[in-house]
Amino acid sequence: MILKVINRSHHPLPQYETEQSAGLDLKAFLPDGPVVLKPLQRGLVKTGLFIELPMGYEAQVRPRSGLALKKGITVLNSPGTIDADYRGEICVILINLSDQEFVINDGERIAQMVIAKHERAQWEEVEILSETERGAGGFGHTGVK
């Protein structure tokens, strides 16, 4: 798949880090200097990227596992969805869930983006749903072991 992109940052385009990676790393575009996220603070971080997705696709913005584990930094609305008809700048809502300040530097890899095909549903109202073994059980009803 080829995606149209405008790159207003001074960073290279996102790329897959390995042959079988699903996510492309997104980098912070901070031309005015670093941004500090205090504990429990959230912030919108620009990437300088604008994309055109084909109809039937979305881009999902997800946390980077290393930042989440080592620094407590995650994507607040994870996964964030970029719809095919959106033409604005890709921005990432980050939150600091640690007890220490976190400095975001220009060019730092802050999130990953996965391009995914999706379906559009049409509703069919019914009076009864088919029965299954699980039924309405949810929220851990099968236990932890």
Side-chain angles (χ1 to χ4, degrees), residues 13-38:
L13 290 175
Q15 60 185 2
Y16 297 101
E17 293 297 322
T18 68
E19 182 66 28
Q20 296 184 35
S21 294
L24 298 145
D25 287 331
L26 295 175
K27 294 181 179 178
F29 176 51
L30 303 171
D32 298 328
V35 170
V36 176
L37 282 183
K38 295 180 179 174

